[in-house]
Amino acid sequence: METEATRETKQAQLRITGMTCAACASRIEKGLNRMPGVASANVNLALETARVEYAPSAVTLEDIIRKVEQLGYGAIPKEEQRDGQDLRRAEIRRQTVRFALAAALSLPLLWAMVVHFAWLSFIPVPGWVMNPWVQLALASPVQFAIGGPFYVGAWKALRNRSANMDVLVALGTSAAYLYSLYLTLEWALANGYDAHPMPDLYYETGAILITLIVLGKLLEALAKGRTSEAIKKLMGLRAKTALVIRGGEEIRIPAEEVAVGDLVLVRPGEKIPVDGIVEEGRSSVDESMLTGESIPVEKGPGDTVIGATVNGNGMLKVRAAKVGRDTALAQIIRIVEEAQGSKAPVQRVADAISGVFVPVVVGIALLTFLVWFAWAAPGDFGAALRNAIAVLVIACPCALGLATPTSIMAGSGRAAELGILFRGGEHLELTHRIDTVVLDKTGTVTKGRPELTDVVTVMPDEGAFLRLVGAAEKPSEHPLAEAVVSGIAARGIALPEAEAFEAIPGHGIRAVVEGKEVLAGSRRLLARHGVATERAEADLQRLEEEGKTAMLVAVDGEYAGIVAAADTIRETSQAAVERLKAMGLDVVMITGDNERTARVIARQAGIERVLAEVLPEGKAEEIRKLKAQGRKVAMVGDGINDAPALATADVGMAIGTGTDVAMEAADVTLMRGDLHGIADAILMSRKTMRNIRQNLFWALAYNSLGIPIAAAGLLEPWVAGAAMALSSVSVVLNALRLQRAKV
């Protein structure tokens, strides 16, 4: 019986070595998914990684690694891995050396190949190049030393009753080599070692094939290295060291050694190494790497700062709250890595095809050989063999296996550079299907904080009026009071200290400023103090109809004016909504606010449909209603109360300047707090899916056209090898176009 303990799962990240094509990834994935205790396994050919979710009570990580090794591959846990860039560089060096050696040995054999073609008879070929023993000496190191990994991979695959690219390459090149060896020995035994004419040999077929495939792998490794540019850029943002105050001394240590609770000193111009709280000092901090806002943000005691942001012109003492893997930047990097390593649903098509592709191709190659040997060119073993080898090589499903993961890597990486974090390939794919966008009002369409919007006064000097109001509201902790005080301070008006202050809950405040009694609040507050407010009614009604909160002000028992505050819409909201509409999307605003306020904000943003007075728990139900109408819904929010709706929507988008809970519940995080990010996310999804379809089309078209052309004898094996290698590289290069995608 399944218990709670057996249902608890852990996730392991493994680096897989030894994969050569989509069939390899498919076999490892199937093998791991069949293991008892493994909930899911996802193998990414492009990243050469596996993500395995498993129940530790039923299976261990060592069991999983052992299973991968039994299948003929290697597996290294993430914590034991070297830096990914080091591994990539080592792979490029290895493939470069292999290609250089193979090319040096194959070049003379390429010269010998011209004798097979009558139309190249004008090219002189030295006798030593045509000598069978010279060709054997040149071809053997390429076949067995450079090509050794193909034999190892083929043996492991066949031992596990499956087939992959290695099987195709080993079969094709070995057939050409062994047939040529047989002809060489037959010639030597029958005619003597220096006899003429020389036999018609095919050593060059295998050698040049292996050389071209190794070249393809080298180009592929170089191109793949560019797909992780986004991760490299994000990692490059981190501070390398931190100046920590310990025992009264300033100590410079590596940033990863900072502990929670440490006091970190950040000098002007330095990167902040941790997420924390400012304890001392004031400065402006450049948070553009996180929010996209170019204007620095003022920071002082009590304010939160984020690691990797840049301190401006002041000294800050920061108490470390989050370090290492818990910082905001580390979480962003983790989300991008997971998205790049995940699998989009469209990849199932490629996986299904590649799983059966190789055995089918071997069958077609055998049939090609028999048809040519028995019918098309009776008794011509060389022609039959050549065409069968061409079929084996041209059909390799490398491009098919790389088509989807390379696009996902490049697309999610480019999105991250634009401040859009997709949590996985499935979300990147689903986003392009969205037809309805539901926007939460507060903090999403609006800024999420009230601001001073209107000042109406009957006093002759507006500055004097605001000075009294600001000083009276300054001791209050109410958000509206803070908005009024901030708005007045922003106008450059100095505020004196109130001599007396009283907060009257639900009504307003009473204060004494410079000997004058100041009342600020509701009609009822002023009425209670005998202040006539009839002359203010027209202004009050107008402001309330505009969705603003108006506060009446009286000075020494006489009506003095009105200050109004409101949660105003973001500067970009109207343009972003227009952009979404232009993309053919329906835009809906949802809020718990009253209908009148909601309509005012919606009108300002250009939104026609409004769902107002919806309780937090009702937001998810409204999303369900839209989905029941057959709509593909994206919910965009920033607050804790948005989390259920974000999780219910087809795609949940969290404004990154909002809460951690909203970001955890979301499928997409918009780091810049700008509604243009919604359109950007949908556009990046559309571009990525278009790129995937292009890759899949060309990969399938290449194999579908190449096999019959090769079987018809119209393709030389070395040409087939070059085409196979270039098809993989072309798929990766097409995916890399996404790194320059404009939105």
Side-chain angles (χ1 to χ4, degrees):
M1 187 176 125
E2 187 183 51
T3 65
E4 193 64 38
T6 61
R7 283 198 297 269
E8 289 179 8
T9 59
K10 285 178 69 177
Q11 196 175 88
Q13 290 270 8
L14 302 172
R15 182 171 188 85
I16 306 296
T17 58
M19 289 193 297
T20 54
C21 70
C24 299
S26 178
R27 183 163 70 257
I28 298 168
E29 202 167 271
K30 285 176 184 173
L32 292 177
N33 278 316
R34 289 193 190 111
M35 290 182 73
V38 172
S40 68
N42 171 20
V43 179
N44 187 304
L45 173 65
L47 278 177
E48 296 171 338
T49 59
R51 185 184 301 135
V52 186
E53 195 174 331
Y54 66 101
S57 56
V59 66
T60 65
L61 183 57
E62 289 72 26
D63 293 333
I64 292 167
I65 292 171
R66 204 174 300 119
K67 179 66 175 176
V68 174
E69 289 169 349
Q70 284 172 5
L71 292 168
Y73 305 90
I76 309 165
K78 189 173 183 181
E79 54 272 17
E80 296 175 20
Q81 293 174 24
R82 286 187 293 152
D83 179 69
Q85 285 305 111
D86 290 342
L87 290 166
R88 187 72 69 197
R89 281 191 288 268
E91 173 66 9
I92 289 169
R93 278 196 302 271
R94 189 173 73 87
Q95 295 293 4
T96 302
V97 171
R98 287 181 72 203
F99 171 66
L101 290 172
L105 293 165
S106 299
L107 204 56
L109 294 170
L110 184 62
W111 201 354
M113 186 182 285
V114 301
V115 301
H116 295 307
F117 306 102
W119 54 278
L120 291 175
S121 58
F122 64 91
I123 299 176
V125 180
W128 68 268
V129 172
M130 296 309 300
N131 188 297
W133 301 111
V134 172
Q135 291 193 22
L136 177 63
L138 291 169
S140 296
V142 179
Q143 187 69 41
F144 300 110
I146 308 298
F150 297 121
Y151 285 101
V152 174
W155 163 245
K156 288 176 178 177
L158 293 171
R159 191 181 64 191
N160 287 285
R161 293 191 292 262
S162 63
N164 62 357
M165 174 194 124
D166 294 329
V167 173
L168 296 179
V169 174
L171 270 175
T173 59
S174 297
Y177 179 87
L178 293 173
Y179 178 56
S180 299
L181 181 61
Y182 164 75
L183 291 177
T184 300
L185 295 173
E186 183 185 53
W187 164 78
L189 291 170
N191 305 305
Y193 293 105
D194 296 317
H196 291 276
M198 301 290 184
D200 212 7
L201 304 177
Y202 298 95
Y203 285 118
E204 78 282 350
T205 299
I208 292 167
L209 269 178
I210 289 170
T211 303
L212 287 169
I213 291 166
V214 172
L215 173 61
K217 289 292 175 189
L218 171 60
L219 294 174
E220 203 177 288
L222 289 166
K224 279 182 186 175
R226 289 176 53 202
T227 58
S228 55
E229 285 294 320
I231 297 287
K232 282 189 278 185
K233 285 179 184 174
L234 287 169
M235 287 181 167
L237 293 172
R238 295 184 297 198
K240 303 294 186 289
T241 62
L243 191 61
V244 179
I245 301 172
R246 288 179 180 170
E249 291 184 25
E250 295 178 8
I251 309 168
R252 178 73 64 177
I253 61 172
E256 57 268 20
E257 292 180 13
V258 179
V260 173
D262 273 345
L263 192 61
V264 181
L265 190 65
V266 188
R267 291 176 172 149
E270 289 185 340
K271 285 183 179 178
I272 297 170
V274 295
D275 294 2
I277 309 293
V278 177
E279 287 210 347
E280 286 182 39
R282 291 191 175 275
S283 182
S284 57
V285 175
D286 179 1
E287 295 185 341
S288 58
M289 56 72 61
L290 190 72
T291 64
E293 290 290 337
S294 56
I295 300 170
V297 181
E298 294 299 318
K299 300 288 182 179
D303 290 334
T304 301
V305 290
I306 305 296
T309 55
V310 181
N311 185 24
N313 49 15
M315 184 83 78
L316 293 176
K317 284 185 180 178
V318 177
R319 184 71 65 183
K322 291 181 180 178
V323 298
R325 290 177 57 82
D326 296 325
T327 62
L329 181 63
Q331 289 175 20
I332 291 168
I333 292 171
R334 192 155 57 246
I335 288 171
V336 177
E337 284 179 331
E338 287 176 2
Q340 291 194 334
S342 65
K343 190 173 287 190
V346 72
Q347 193 172 338
R348 294 186 193 125
V349 177
D351 289 348
I353 294 168
S354 61
V356 297
F357 204 75
V358 176
V360 170
V361 168
V362 172
I364 294 171
L366 284 171
L367 184 62
T368 300
F369 177 84
L370 292 172
V371 168
W372 275 88
F373 189 68
W375 178 68
D380 189 343
F381 189 87
L385 179 65
R386 215 166 38 241
N387 295 329
I389 292 170
V391 169
L392 285 172
V393 175
I394 197 75
C396 189
C398 302
L400 191 62
L402 291 167
T404 302
T406 48
S407 294
I408 293 290
M409 287 168 68
S412 56
R414 176 60 179 147
E417 290 173 10
L418 296 167
I420 304 157
L421 304 181
F422 289 95
R423 293 193 77 88
E426 64 274 25
H427 308 306
L428 182 55
E429 177 177 340
L430 187 56
T431 301
H432 88 284
R433 297 201 187 110
I434 293 301
D435 56 33
T436 304
V437 177
V438 179
L439 305 172
D440 176 56
K441 179 182 80 71
T442 307
T444 303
V445 176
T446 66
K447 294 176 181 175
R449 59 183 186 278
E451 293 181 347
L452 179 64
T453 57
D454 298 80
V455 176
V456 178
T457 180
V458 295
M459 290 176 63
D461 185 350
E462 184 179 285
F465 169 71
L466 288 174
R467 190 163 178 270
L468 291 172
V469 174
E473 293 281 14
K474 194 175 178 182
S476 175
E477 294 180 356
H478 194 283
L480 289 173
E482 290 176 5
V484 169
V485 173
S486 296
I488 293 170
R491 298 184 186 203
I493 298 172
L495 302 178
E497 293 297 319
E499 294 146 29
F501 174 81
E502 179 189 2
I504 305 164
H507 296 285
I509 59 104
R510 175 186 171 277
V512 176
V513 180
E514 296 177 337
K516 294 183 172 65
E517 182 189 58
V518 180
L519 297 170
S522 63
R523 293 178 179 86
R524 194 174 298 173
L525 174 69
L526 268 64
R528 186 192 295 176
H529 287 80
V531 179
T533 59
E534 290 80 4
R535 62 194 295 192
E537 279 305 318
D539 289 321
L540 272 177
Q541 192 170 343
R542 173 180 59 81
L543 292 168
E544 287 171 353
E545 283 174 358
E546 291 173 1
K548 298 168 182 174
T549 302
M551 291 170 281
L552 292 161
V553 179
V555 177
D556 285 340
E558 294 291 328
Y559 167 72
I562 301 170
V563 287
D567 181 10
T568 57
I569 72 166
R570 295 174 185 267
E571 291 81 358
T572 56
S573 289
Q574 185 177 5
V577 168
E578 288 304 315
R579 193 174 160 206
L580 291 170
K581 288 180 179 177
M583 291 168 66
L585 301 164
D586 289 333
V587 183
V588 181
M589 192 179 81
I590 193 167
T591 180
D593 269 2
N594 64 73
E595 184 86 23
R596 185 172 65 181
T597 303
R599 289 283 172 199
V600 169
I601 296 295
R603 188 165 58 249
Q604 291 173 1
I607 301 171
E608 286 82 28
R609 187 172 178 190
V610 179
L611 301 172
E613 298 177 30
V614 180
L615 296 174
E617 58 271 22
K619 290 183 180 180
E621 183 55 38
E622 292 294 338
I623 298 294
R624 273 190 283 270
K625 287 178 184 175
L626 288 168
K627 287 173 71 175
Q629 297 169 18
R631 293 170 179 259
K632 292 291 181 186
V633 183
M635 170 69 195
V636 188
D638 77 321
I640 291 173
N641 61 357
D642 297 324
L646 290 169
T648 304
D650 293 295
V651 176
M653 295 186 181
I655 297 291
T657 48
T659 66
D660 289 343
V661 176
M663 289 172 68
E664 281 298 315
D667 306 313
V668 184
T669 301
L670 309 176
M671 293 303 299
R672 293 179 178 171
D674 181 343
L675 294 194
H676 278 297
I678 305 166
D680 292 345
I682 294 169
L683 276 175
M684 275 310 303
S685 175
R686 289 178 179 178
K687 286 175 183 285
T688 303
M689 290 311 300
R690 190 182 309 127
N691 194 273
I692 288 172
R693 290 193 195 99
Q694 288 167 355
N695 280 352
L696 286 173
F697 171 78
W698 286 114
L700 289 167
Y702 158 82
N703 283 320
S704 302
L705 292 171
I707 291 171
I709 291 171
L714 301 173
L715 210 58
E716 285 296 319
W718 70 274
V719 177
M724 185 270 285
L726 290 172
S727 70
S728 297
V729 175
S730 65
V731 160
V732 177
L733 291 176
N734 185 50
L736 286 174
R737 291 191 309 113
L738 287 169
Q739 291 189 331
R740 299 188 301 275
K742 299 285 192 293
V743 292

